[in-house]
Amino acid sequence: MDLHQQPFAARLSWLEHLAVAHSANYIAETAQRSAYQLTHPTKLIALKCMDGRIHLPHATKTPLGIIQPYRNLGGIFDLGWPYLGDLLCEDIQQSLQAGLPVLVLVTYHFSAGDKWRGCAGFHCDRDAALAQALAIRDQLQQIFADYPQCFALVVGFETDSDALVLHGSTGRILDLSQYTPAISPQLPVLLQQLCPHLPLSMQQDLLPLLHGNLLHSAEQSSKRRQLDVEHREWMLCLGRGFDFLHVPNVALIIGPFSPDLSQPVKKAAAIIRTNIEQQRISDDGILLLASVPYYQQGADRKRAELKAAFFCQFAKAVISEAEPTLLPLLQSRSAVMYWPKRQLEWL
């Protein structure tokens, strides 16, 4: 039976097993991840949409945990937001102080085959999504103008083929969907032409992602992909630690970044209501899930528990006012994630 039409209890069980499997895979790749980081020490950060199709480790054949994601509904960010600005800039500064260069991939996504498979956060308008990504890149360049070891790169993600589209500082574009893996020996020259100001060491650390994406896209093109156009989300997620949810059309993920979280919660709740009205999902239950990561037992974990509980209460209050018809179907859960093992712990 289609997951979206299964009883709520079955869907919740599927979710629990998905989280366990993700943690197991992350732990299993510990040695591979360590070896990779020794060879390619650049810190990789990705700002991206909550869409489950945007799975950069999978699309670049990169070990889990190498690319650190910041996910938000629509991929909408603003470094003027107090919490986001503090969190991201602290993350970058810590890496720079440790002697590690930082490459921030500012992503947007679109479909080459059908505009309406694009980003719902921008009403499937690719130009608007790209403009947002360019604005974030400019903010990062302004903040870290005196740090040549911090570089921001705008990257499009074409969701039909999972191909990357790189937007260089010179106005050039490198669209990997136009190439096969045979072009790999020429990638260093193409990347140098695209980003002449990107330090050579960082170019060397970016090349494996590009090579991996060429291989992945070639594999995808050899398959007959079933492209699901419609929104079928039955989960509203608020917080962080949702890396395990890279599954298309299952969850709407809202990072705790915007100063006004009520707006993305309202937008996500409206999408889920429409999904129910149009019978895209079962009407026997929807899930509100709050998650907060922690690093140590004790005060750090207890604080995460309180924060997750707050997110649940906050989102439920917003939904009760904006989409009251959802309340009889709404089941809320909160969790914390032990970040060193990517281990989701239900509360």
Side-chain angles (χ1 to χ4, degrees):
M1 184 187 298
D2 181 2
L3 171 67
H4 298 81
Q5 297 298 334
Q6 289 187 18
F8 181 82
R11 284 180 278 142
L12 186 59
S13 177
W14 168 86
L15 179 68
E16 292 170 344
H17 284 90
L18 184 69
V20 170
H22 178 82
S23 178
N25 290 337
Y26 179 83
I27 294 170
E29 292 184 1
T30 298
Q32 182 183 359
R33 187 164 47 252
S34 298
Y36 187 99
Q37 289 172 325
L38 285 174
T39 308
H40 305 287
T42 298
K43 169 85 169 181
L44 297 174
I45 295 174
L47 304 183
K48 60 180 185 170
C49 181
M50 56 81 203
D51 195 311
R53 294 174 295 177
I54 321 303
H55 193 351
L56 286 173
H58 178 63
T60 59
K61 294 184 176 292
T62 307
L64 293 174
I66 296 296
I67 304 173
Q68 180 176 338
Y70 284 73
R71 300 174 73 182
N72 200 29
L73 188 68
I76 299 172
F77 299 91
D78 187 324
L79 297 189
W81 294 346
Y83 179 62
L84 172 66
D86 291 348
L87 190 67
L88 179 59
C89 291
E90 181 180 352
D91 196 2
I92 293 172
Q93 290 280 17
Q94 286 179 349
S95 295
L96 293 175
Q97 290 170 3
L100 300 176
V102 180
L103 178 59
V104 183
L105 306 177
V106 184
T107 71
Y108 70 97
H109 70 94
F110 66 99
S111 164
D114 186 340
K115 170 184 176 180
W116 301 109
R117 286 198 291 266
C119 182
F122 290 95
H123 306 290
C124 301
D125 185 337
R126 179 185 178 183
D127 291 339
L130 172 58
Q132 155 81 6
L134 291 171
I136 299 170
R137 182 200 64 183
D138 292 346
Q139 287 183 334
L140 282 163
Q141 289 178 340
Q142 178 182 354
I143 294 172
F144 293 98
D146 297 328
Y147 297 85
Q149 291 300 102
C150 179
F151 195 91
L153 179 64
V154 172
V155 180
F157 193 103
E158 199 285 298
T159 53
D160 294 353
S161 64
D162 289 354
L164 302 182
V165 181
L166 281 66
H167 294 259
S169 54
T170 61
R172 289 175 177 261
I173 294 177
L174 178 59
D175 183 352
L176 295 185
S177 70
Q178 303 301 310
Y179 299 97
T180 69
I183 198 70
S184 290
Q186 300 178 40
L187 280 178
V189 173
L190 293 174
L191 183 57
Q192 171 63 26
Q193 293 173 345
L194 183 79
C195 301
H197 302 299
L198 180 63
L200 182 59
S201 64
M202 298 173 71
Q203 292 184 34
Q204 294 298 320
D205 291 348
L206 178 58
L207 285 170
L209 277 68
L210 307 187
H211 177 66
N213 185 241
L214 286 172
L215 293 174
H216 173 78
S217 295
E219 293 170 357
Q220 293 298 94
S221 65
S222 67
K223 302 175 184 177
R224 293 185 177 180
R225 301 187 71 190
Q226 181 65 39
L227 299 174
D228 195 347
V229 178
E230 294 183 322
H231 280 284
R232 304 182 71 194
E233 295 88 357
W234 52 273
M235 296 174 56
L236 191 160
C237 301
L238 180 56
R240 301 176 64 207
F242 296 109
D243 293 5
F244 67 97
L245 263 176
H246 279 103
V247 181
N249 298 337
V250 167
L252 295 165
I253 299 172
I254 302 167
F257 305 124
S258 170
D260 183 4
L261 284 175
S262 64
Q263 294 307 312
V265 170
K266 290 177 182 178
K267 182 183 293 187
I271 291 173
I272 292 177
R273 171 181 51 76
T274 302
N275 292 343
I276 294 173
E277 291 174 349
Q278 299 189 6
Q279 299 183 336
R280 297 170 182 165
I281 60 176
S282 174
D283 63 357
D284 72 333
I286 58 176
L287 179 65
L288 165 62
L289 174 61
S291 171
V292 176
Y294 76 97
Y295 292 86
Q296 297 179 337
Q297 294 290 339
D300 190 27
R301 188 184 194 279
K302 292 177 181 177
R303 169 72 176 116
E305 292 177 8
L306 289 176
K307 193 172 181 179
F310 168 79
F311 282 154
C312 258
Q313 295 167 2
F314 174 84
K316 197 168 184 177
V318 172
I319 294 170
S320 67
E321 179 179 345
E323 300 290 347
T325 59
L326 293 181
L327 284 182
L329 305 175
L330 188 67
Q331 299 198 39
S332 59
R333 299 284 299 273
S334 60
V336 294
M337 173 169 280
Y338 180 51
W339 194 249
K341 293 186 177 181
R342 302 301 194 267
Q343 183 175 311
L344 192 70
E345 301 169 356
W346 300 91
L347 301 177

